[in-house]
C-alpha cells in the first residue's frame, strides 16, 4: 500500500488530494468526493509558493530505502520537484548576488506539471506493485552538465587571490585582561609574518588609560619595524597618536570611525563628524610624509546601543574616509550580528560610493556568521579580508562582541575554494597555538582544533 497526501491552498479554498495505490488501483478524489480534473488544480501562483527544493526533493523516500534498485516506477524527479526546473539563479555579472528567474511562462510551467502528473498516473494505474519491479531504477534529471553549470555560476564571481589583513596582535589582544608581555607580542608578529601573511596590524598608539594592553606600542613597533616581508600598520586615533607612531618607526597607519553615533562617543569620545575632522588632520600629515592611511568603519551592521544601522550611514562614513585620503576602507561588523541578508545591502550601499577594490570586510564571529558573510562578500567583489589568528579579539567598548573570525578558518575556506592567499596554514596554526598556549586557553579556530585532533589521532596509529 502506498499513500500520498497533498494539501494545496488556493485563496480560501482547500483541496485535498488522496492518492491510494494498491495492486494497480488508483483512487483520486477531492474533499467533495468528486473526480479532480486538471481544471481544479491550483494556479501556478499557488504552486510556486510551495517549497519544492527541499533536501530530499530528488532522493528516494524513507519507505523506499533498503529496496536495492527496486524503486517505484515513475518516482524519478518529476517536474513538480525537478532539480532542473525553473529556478532562481545567481548571475556572476556586474551584480552576482542579484537573482534572475528563467523566462518561463505560467502556462508552460503548468502544462509540464500537468503532463508529469498524467504520466505518473498512467504508470501507477497498470502495474500490480511497481515496488518489486527490479528493472525500473530511481533516476534524477540533474545531469552532470547541470551541476557544472550551477558550480560555474556560483564560482564565477570569486576572486583568484584574496589579501588577508591579520589584526590579531592589535585587535585580537587589546581586550585581554591580563597583560601580555611585550616579548610575546613581538614573537607573535614574527611568526605571523613568517606564515606568509602580507599585512599584520602590529599595535595601536592609543592612550594607555583607555587600552592598557597596548601601552607598550612604542617598544613593539621599534622591535618589528625593520621587517620587510610584510606591511605592519598601526592604529592611530588622532594626530598625537600618528606622530608617536611615526617616531617609533611606523610606515603605515590606520584611523577608525563609526557608523553609529552612540558607539563613536563611547569608543573615541567624540561624534562622527568630530572624528572625521580629526582624521582629515591625520591624513594630511600622512600625505606629507607619504605614509599610507587605512580607514576603519565600525558597527556597519549593528550597534550595541542603537541596534540596526542603516546602510546609508555606513556609506556616508566610508565615502568621507575615502575622500579624506584613506587608500582602503575596512567595514567592520563590530558586534558580529551581521548575516548575508544584512551584509549584502550594506555592501551595495558602500560600493555605490567607494570602488569595490578599495574595500575590505572585518567580521566578528559572535553568532558564527563570519564565514558566510565573507563568502557573500567575495561573490560581490571584495578581495581583502581582515581576520585574527586563533579567533582572538573583542572590543572593550562593544559589550557582547566576541573574537574576530579566525584567520586559520578563513584560509582553510579559501583553500577549499581554490583561492590563493600565499599563507602557509601549518605555520599560521603554529602561531595560533603559540599565543593560545600563552593565554592559557584553547584556540578559537575550529580549523586549528580539528587539525590538532587529526594530528593527535595520527600519532596514535
Amino acid at each position: 500500500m502506498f499513500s500520498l497526501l497533498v494539501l494545496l491552498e488556493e485563496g480560501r479554498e482547500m483541496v485535498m488530494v488522496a492518492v491510494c495505490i494498491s495492486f494497480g488501483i488508483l483512487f483520486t478524489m477531492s474533499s467533495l468526493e468528486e473526480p479532480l480534473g486538471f481544471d481544479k488544480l491550483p494556479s501556478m501562483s499557488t504552486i510556486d509558493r510551495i517549497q519544492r527544493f527541499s533536501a530530499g526533493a530528488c532522493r528516494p523516500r524513507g519507505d523506499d530505502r533498503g529496496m536495492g534498485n527496486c524503486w517505484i516506477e515513475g518516482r524519478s524527479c518529476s517536474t513538480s520537484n525537478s532539480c532542473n526546473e525553473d529556478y532562481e539563479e545567481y548571475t556572476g555579472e556586474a551584480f552576482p548576488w542579484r537573482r534572475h528567474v528563467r523566462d518561463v511562462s505560467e502556462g508552460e510551467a503548468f502544462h509540464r506539471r500537468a503532463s508529469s502528473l498524467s504520466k505518473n498516473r498512467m504508470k501507477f494505474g497498470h502495474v500490480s506493485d511497481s515496488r518489486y519491479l527490479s528493472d525500473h531504477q530511481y533516476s534524477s534529471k540533474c545531469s552532470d552538465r547541470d551541476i557544472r553549470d550551477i558550480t560555474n555560476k556560483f564560482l564565477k564571481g570569486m576572486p583568484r587571490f584574496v589579501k588577508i589583513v591579520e589584526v590579531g596582535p592589535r585587535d585580537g589582544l587589546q581586550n585581554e585582561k591580563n597583560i601580555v608581555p611585550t616579548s610575546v607580542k613581538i614573537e607573535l608578529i614574527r611568526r605571523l609574518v613568517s606564515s606568509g601573511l602580507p599585512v599584520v596590524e602590529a599595535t595601536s598608539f592609543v592612550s594607555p588609560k583607555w587600552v592598557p594592553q597596548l601601552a607598550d606600542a612604542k617598544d613593539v613597533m621599534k622591535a618589528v619595524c625593520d621587517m620587510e616581508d610584510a606591511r605592519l600598520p598601526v592604529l592611530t586615533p588622532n594626530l598625537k597618536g600618528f606622530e608617536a607612531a611615526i617616531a617609533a618607526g611606523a610606515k603605515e597607519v590606520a584611523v577608525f570611525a563609526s557608523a553609529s553615533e552612540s558607539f563613536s562617543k563611547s569608543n573615541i569620545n567624540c561624534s562622527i563628524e568630530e572624528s572625521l575632522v580629526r582624521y582629515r588632520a591625520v591624513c594630511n600629515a600622512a600625505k606629507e610624509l607619504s605614509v599610507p592611511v587605512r580607514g576603519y568603519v565600525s558597527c556597519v551592521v549593528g550597534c550595541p546601543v542603537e541596534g540596526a544601522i542603516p546602510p546609508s550611514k555606513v556609506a556616508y562614513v566610508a565615502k568621507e574616509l575615502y575622500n579624506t585620503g584613506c587608500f582602503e576602507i575596512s567595514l567592520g561588523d563590530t558586534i558580529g550580528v551581521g548575516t548575508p541578508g544584512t551584509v549584502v545591502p550594506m555592501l551595495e550601499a558602500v560600493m555605490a560610493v567607494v570602488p569595490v577594490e578599495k574595500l575590505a570586510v572585518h567580521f566578528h564571529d559572535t553568532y558564527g556568521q563570519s564565514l558566510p558573510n565573507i563568502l557573500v562578500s567575495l561573490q560581490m567583489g571584495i578581495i581583502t579580508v581582515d581576520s585574527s589568528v586563533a579567533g582572538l579579539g573583542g572590543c572593550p567598548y562593544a559589550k557582547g562582541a566576541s573574537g574576530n573570525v579566525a584567520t586559520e578558518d578563513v584560509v582553510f575556506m579559501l583553500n577549499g575554494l581554490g583561492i590563493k592567499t600565499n599563507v602557509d596554514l601549518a605555520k599560521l596554526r603554529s602561531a595560533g597555538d603559540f599565543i593560545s598556549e600563552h593565554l592559557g586557553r584553547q584556540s578559537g579556530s575550529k580549523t586549528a582544533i580539528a587539525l590538532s585532533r587529526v594530528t593527535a589521532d595520527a600519532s596514535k596509529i
Side-chain angles (χ1 to χ4, degrees), residues 180-221:
V180 178
T182 302
S183 59
V184 173
K185 295 176 182 176
I186 294 171
E187 179 61 21
L188 174 62
I189 293 172
R190 292 188 185 280
R191 290 181 180 232
L192 291 171
V193 171
S194 68
S195 73
L197 287 162
V199 185
V200 178
E201 193 176 54
T203 186
S204 175
F205 283 81
V206 296
S207 170
K209 174 183 177 182
W210 300 112
V211 186
Q213 183 65 252
L214 303 179
D216 58 355
K218 181 179 178 181
D219 296 331
V220 170
M221 198 64 231

Side-chain angles (χ1 to χ4, degrees), residues 397-442:
Y397 300 102
K399 185 178 180 180
S402 70
N404 297 273
V405 61
T407 307
E408 299 95 320
D409 296 352
V410 175
V411 171
F412 186 82
M413 181 184 77
L414 295 178
N415 286 348
L417 290 169
I419 300 174
K420 294 183 178 180
T421 62
N422 292 339
V423 176
D424 186 318
L425 184 56
K427 292 183 178 180
L428 177 64
R429 212 184 104 209
S430 175
D433 291 343
F434 166 77
I435 189 62
S436 296
E437 182 178 352
H438 176 81
L439 296 175
R441 62 170 181 264
Q442 188 180 49

Side-chain angles (χ1 to χ4, degrees), residues 42-227:
S43 68
M44 275 302 301
S45 60
T46 299
I47 294 177
D48 285 343
R49 289 196 296 266
I50 301 174
Q51 184 177 358
R52 304 191 304 273
F53 298 100
S54 62
C58 292
R59 298 176 184 173
R61 297 175 186 169
D63 57 352
D64 295 330
R65 294 170 186 164
M67 297 299 295
N69 294 331
C70 304
W71 305 117
I72 294 181
E73 181 177 343
R75 186 72 70 78
S76 63
C77 297
S78 68
T79 51
S80 61
N81 63 3
S82 167
C83 291
N84 65 347
E85 197 176 341
D86 47 321
Y87 57 89
E88 294 183 345
E89 59 187 23
Y90 289 89
T91 176
E93 299 172 356
F95 300 98
W97 62 94
R98 290 185 178 174
R99 297 182 178 184
H100 298 267
V101 181
R102 185 184 298 178
D103 186 14
V104 179
S105 67
E106 189 174 86
E108 291 175 341
F110 172 79
H111 177 71
R112 288 203 303 270
R113 287 181 175 84
S115 298
S116 174
L117 180 58
S118 178
K119 291 178 183 178
N120 285 341
R121 198 182 268 190
M122 291 174 62
K123 288 180 180 180
F124 282 127
H126 74 273
V127 296
S128 58
D129 195 340
S130 57
R131 187 184 298 271
Y132 299 100
L133 296 181
S134 60
D135 57 338
H136 295 289
Q137 290 186 337
Y138 167 83
S139 64
S140 171
K141 292 186 178 179
C142 294
S143 66
D144 291 341
R145 182 177 180 180
D146 291 335
I147 295 174
R148 286 196 299 270
D149 288 343
I150 293 174
T151 303
N152 290 335
K153 288 172 183 175
F154 176 78
L155 297 176
K156 188 175 181 181
M158 292 291 187
R160 295 183 177 181
F161 177 85
V162 166
K163 178 181 71 178
I164 294 181
V165 176
E166 172 61 51
V167 298
R170 194 278 300 177
D171 194 21
L173 296 179
Q174 68 176 3
N175 205 36
E176 292 295 326
K177 295 180 180 179
N178 298 322
I179 300 299
V180 178
T182 302
S183 59
V184 173
K185 295 176 182 176
I186 294 171
E187 179 61 21
L188 174 62
I189 293 172
R190 292 188 185 280
R191 290 181 180 232
L192 291 171
V193 171
S194 68
S195 73
L197 287 162
V199 185
V200 178
E201 193 176 54
T203 186
S204 175
F205 283 81
V206 296
S207 170
K209 174 183 177 182
W210 300 112
V211 186
Q213 183 65 252
L214 303 179
D216 58 355
K218 181 179 178 181
D219 296 331
V220 170
M221 198 64 231
K222 285 187 174 181
V224 301
C225 64
D226 292 332
M227 291 185 184

Side-chain angles (χ1 to χ4, degrees), residues 38 80 138 226 231 240 286 331 418:
F38 292 140
S80 61
Y138 167 83
D226 292 332
R231 290 158 41 201
K240 181 179 179 180
L331 305 170

Side-chain angles (χ1 to χ4, degrees), residues 323-338:
N323 291 340
T324 297
C326 294
F327 74 91
E328 187 172 83
I329 308 297
S330 177
L331 305 170
D333 179 15
T334 310
I335 57 176
V337 296

